[in-house]
Amino acid sequence: MLKINSQLSALTATLMGFLLVAAGSSLAQQLETLNVSYASVTGSRIPLWIAKDAGLFEKYGLHVNLVVIAAGNAAIGALSGGDVDVLGAPGTTTMVSAARGLPVAIIGTFGPSAWKLAAHPSITSVQELRGKTVGISRPGTTIEFATRRTLLKLGFTPGKDINILPTGLAESNKRVLVMLQGKIDATLVSPDNLFEAETKGLKLSILTDLNEMGIYTSASDLSAKRDFLKSQRQRARAFMMGFCEAIWLGKANKNVALASFRKHLRESDPRRLEALYKNYIVDALPTKPYPMEEVIQTEIENLTPSVPELRGKKPSDFIDKTILSDLEREGFFTALGNRYGK
């Protein structure tokens, strides 16, 4: 009898093994493809990388292709044309496009940024910027808008007192190198790229901190077409579930986050990895990545003079937080808190 029971147990275990393999194969066949782009290879993209590396998108039924498309017209064109389903890029691009009639909306955020205006070491004061050239990434990006707002608050008229030069470089560490070559005199730099410069012995002059000046921006945002959010609701929802869980996993398991930083940034310096973790996960990532309405309101106020279509608009005109609201109401974030710790 014991022998029979033992054989039955072994048979049951074998059958369960087959069923699990079959289920895994079936799941793989059922995964739906989703194309997601992001504007630059910077530490702020960490939720996407963790979700991809840890299989969280697959967990929610998606096969996600991550591609890099520079911010601005190319990125919004890829979204509107259907080449990508979700766009990871500055929310200002989405706002301007929506104000001009494109049916797109901001659905989430990568968290706040912490830009500093850094200059060539030969420039030691803000006033020495007069007549100089400040480098941005590309026209129509958060970097350009934040740079112009900063210069205005410092008492300059961009384009008159100071030249604005598009470098085509989204990563601030690359703009730093261009600056040290003497091609530009100042640019906005992220905290981790400042740390990187310091560890390499590169001398920079920090002129101001944008947050201390009251100039708040998002590191980047998530946007999608409004018809996609309606007709492909489950795919959009699955993406946001994977994105959100990646945030909680990264905060709870430092090693997972560091592994993704190493892989996607090709970084091995322990000190820089620690700085990346602190700047982009501990300090920046919100556990509930709702669009930052205060930042959007500020962007509206500052952009309206140059983008008249924004006049009279409100943050609610540019965001769709229904997926995140639904997830919160259904207890998704509470479940994540129970799983990963609050």
Side-chain angles (χ1 to χ4, degrees):
M1 188 69 176
L2 287 173
K3 184 176 182 180
I4 292 174
N5 286 339
S6 176
Q7 290 174 336
L8 286 173
S9 296
L11 178 60
T12 300
T14 300
L15 287 173
M16 286 299 294
F18 281 127
L19 287 172
L20 287 171
V21 171
S25 175
S26 175
L27 178 62
Q29 293 174 358
Q30 293 173 6
L31 293 179
E32 294 191 69
T33 299
L34 192 79
N35 296 320
V36 179
S37 75
Y38 54 97
S40 58
V41 183
T42 61
S44 65
R45 314 302 174 183
I46 188 63
L48 294 177
W49 298 337
I50 291 176
K52 183 73 172 176
D53 297 341
L56 295 178
F57 289 135
E58 288 80 0
K59 174 180 177 178
Y60 294 107
L62 296 177
H63 171 70
V64 171
N65 294 314
L66 297 179
V67 296
V68 178
I69 301 177
N73 294 334
I76 205 72
L79 181 64
S80 62
D83 293 324
V84 299
D85 303 297
V86 178
L87 173 66
T92 48
T93 304
T94 298
M95 292 164 56
V96 171
S97 299
R100 291 173 174 168
L102 196 64
V104 292
I106 300 170
I107 61 173
T109 184
F110 289 85
S113 60
W115 297 109
K116 297 183 190 300
L117 180 62
H120 190 277
S122 62
I123 298 174
T124 58
S125 70
V126 167
Q127 288 308 312
E128 291 178 42
L129 279 179
R130 190 174 299 275
K132 304 293 186 180
T133 297
V134 176
I136 61 169
S137 52
R138 293 174 177 83
T141 62
T142 292
I143 297 297
E144 181 196 10
F145 298 135
T147 298
R148 289 183 179 277
R149 283 157 51 194
T150 301
L151 295 177
L152 284 169
K153 273 208 166 187
L154 291 174
F156 300 112
T157 300
K160 180 181 178 182
D161 299 322
I162 293 178
N163 183 41
I164 303 292
L165 178 67
T167 65
L169 302 172
E171 296 85 359
S172 63
N173 58 340
K174 294 179 181 178
R175 295 197 301 275
V176 165
L177 294 179
V178 170
M179 180 171 68
L180 293 177
Q181 292 168 3
K183 297 177 181 178
I184 59 176
D185 301 294
T187 190
L188 297 187
V189 183
S190 65
D192 61 300
N193 286 158
L194 283 175
F195 181 84
E196 178 185 6
E198 290 172 6
T199 58
K200 291 181 178 179
L202 303 177
K203 302 294 185 181
L204 302 178
S205 179
I206 308 304
L207 300 181
T208 189
D209 181 306
L210 271 63
N211 285 345
E212 292 178 2
M213 293 181 67
I215 299 174
Y216 304 109
T217 62
S218 66
S220 194
D221 298 289
L222 294 169
S223 300
K225 291 196 294 185
R226 290 189 182 274
D227 61 350
F228 170 78
L229 297 174
K230 293 179 181 178
S231 64
Q232 300 291 321
R233 187 72 173 181
Q234 186 53 44
R235 291 170 69 209
R237 176 185 168 96
F239 169 78
M240 290 306 296
M241 292 172 78
F243 182 85
C244 291
E245 183 162 352
I247 292 173
W248 287 75
L249 174 58
K251 287 180 177 289
N253 191 325
K254 186 177 182 179
N255 289 332
V256 167
L258 293 182
S260 287
F261 279 131
R262 288 190 193 95
K263 177 180 177 180
H264 296 275
L265 293 179
R266 298 178 183 178
E267 182 58 64
S268 59
D269 185 334
R271 293 174 301 169
R272 177 153 153 71
L273 286 168
E274 287 292 330
L276 286 166
Y277 186 78
K278 181 181 184 301
N279 291 332
Y280 289 112
I281 294 186
V282 176
D283 293 345
L285 277 181
T287 53
K288 298 175 185 178
Y290 283 100
M292 296 188 292
E293 296 187 51
E294 299 87 352
V295 170
I296 294 172
Q297 179 58 45
T298 300
E299 297 284 14
I300 292 172
E301 294 168 1
N302 286 283
L303 288 173
T304 297
S306 58
V307 185
E309 294 91 340
L310 288 169
R311 187 166 288 111
K313 298 293 186 181
K314 317 180 290 295
S316 59
D317 295 325
F318 303 109
I319 66 177
D320 185 327
K321 55 184 180 181
T322 57
I323 292 178
L324 288 173
S325 296
D326 287 348
L327 291 176
E328 182 164 17
R329 187 182 64 255
E330 295 163 10
F332 180 70
F333 293 112
T334 300
L336 290 179
N338 292 335
R339 183 176 307 150
Y340 295 110
K342 298 180 180 179

